[in-house]
Amino acid sequence: MIGAKLAVRWLIRAVAVLLLLMAGGTFIPRPLLVAAEVSSAAAPSKRILLLSGPIHTDIAIPLDDRLRASFLFLEDAGIPVSDPAAQWLVFGWGGRSFYLETPTWADLKPMPVFRALTIDNSVMHVDVAGGISETHPAVKVLDVDGERFEKLLGFINDSFIRENGVVVSVGDRGYGDYDRFFEARGYFNALFGCNTWTAAALRTGGLRTGFWNPLPQTLVLSLSLYN
């Protein structure tokens, strides 16, 4: 009985510490201070979208002729980047096991959860989308300075693993006909996972986030506070 009570106390303390860290991670901005920047008139701002689910976030990039050409290498993997109906290119980073084996909550299995809570290899998920309602509650519109937008694209590009200069697809794995998974750089853990990758990408684009955002809800809140 004493052992059970002690375990409960430690569990309560652990949860309290985690909640405190998440609060600090949300309300302490990153970067803490922002130097004034002069925007280039030749590089107008770009509108991107943050797409949020219960536990995951994606970044949607608007497709134009230049971006279609830049990401044409994805066509070979089955992603119709050049299709005129494709208006957005959607990127997400996550744990290999959980991402590949859990397309819906009904597919949840113990091993992907275990790997997500410990450490796992990572993959990039890429999809295309037509029109996306910018007023949907799961969509947040963000403006990125044109020069910073190029750095954001560079961050996304650098997240792919390449062999001989070619991105490495995970077979023909995807959730549908027009999305695919690719081998990615870095290791995944639930505390430093998909949403912290998204936050890092957005910071590269000149946006401020919370210091640590493991959940979509805290990332969206911090973006609203500091941008």
Side-chain angles (χ1 to χ4, degrees):
M1 180 65 73
I2 295 177
K5 289 182 178 179
L6 184 61
V8 170
R9 288 197 191 103
W10 277 108
L11 179 60
I12 292 173
R13 290 171 184 169
V15 171
V17 169
L18 182 60
L19 291 174
L20 182 62
L21 289 173
M22 289 180 64
T26 302
F27 294 107
I28 299 173
R30 184 175 181 182
L32 193 61
L33 299 174
V34 179
E37 293 185 5
V38 178
S39 298
S40 170
S45 64
K46 296 283 188 178
R47 186 180 81 263
I48 66 172
L49 304 179
L50 177 68
L51 311 180
S52 301
I55 62 171
H56 179 77
T57 50
D58 291 309
I59 298 173
I61 304 295
L63 279 170
D64 56 22
D65 290 342
R66 183 179 70 87
L67 268 294
R68 292 181 199 277
S70 297
F71 288 98
L72 194 61
F73 62 86
L74 296 171
E75 289 267 0
D76 292 337
I79 298 176
V81 176
S82 60
D83 189 333
Q87 299 178 33
W88 298 91
L89 194 54
V90 183
F91 297 95
W93 180 96
R96 182 187 180 92
S97 181
F98 197 95
Y99 225 159
L100 292 176
E101 298 179 41
T102 318
T104 68
W105 286 112
D107 300 299
L108 189 64
K109 304 179 186 71
M111 186 52 69
V113 174
F114 173 76
R115 288 175 176 163
L117 294 174
T118 54
I119 193 167
D120 194 6
N121 290 320
S122 63
V123 291
M124 286 285 290
H125 182 241
V126 185
D127 198 358
V128 291
I132 298 177
S133 173
E134 296 181 10
T135 60
H136 192 281
V139 176
K140 185 170 183 58
V141 180
L142 299 166
D143 289 320
V144 178
D145 176 85
E147 294 179 358
R148 287 285 194 169
F149 180 72
E150 297 304 318
K151 293 182 179 180
L152 171 60
L153 295 180
F155 182 96
I156 293 172
N157 259 313
D158 289 344
S159 295
F160 289 92
I161 286 179
R162 286 176 165 81
E163 292 182 356
N164 299 318
V166 179
V167 293
V168 183
S169 61
V170 184
D172 58 354
R173 299 290 296 273
Y175 293 153
D177 294 332
Y178 306 116
D179 68 302
R180 291 293 183 270
F181 286 98
F182 299 85
E183 302 291 355
R185 299 182 184 277
Y187 292 95
F188 178 92
N189 174 270
L191 297 180
F192 298 94
C194 52
N195 302 304
T196 57
W197 177 89
T198 301
L202 295 177
R203 287 194 298 273
T204 303
L207 296 165
R208 297 176 84 192
T209 70
F211 198 84
W212 176 57
N213 296 123
L215 296 176
Q217 297 80 5
T218 65
L219 176 56
V220 171
L221 177 56
S222 69
L223 287 166
S224 298
L225 289 172
Y226 304 121
N227 298 279

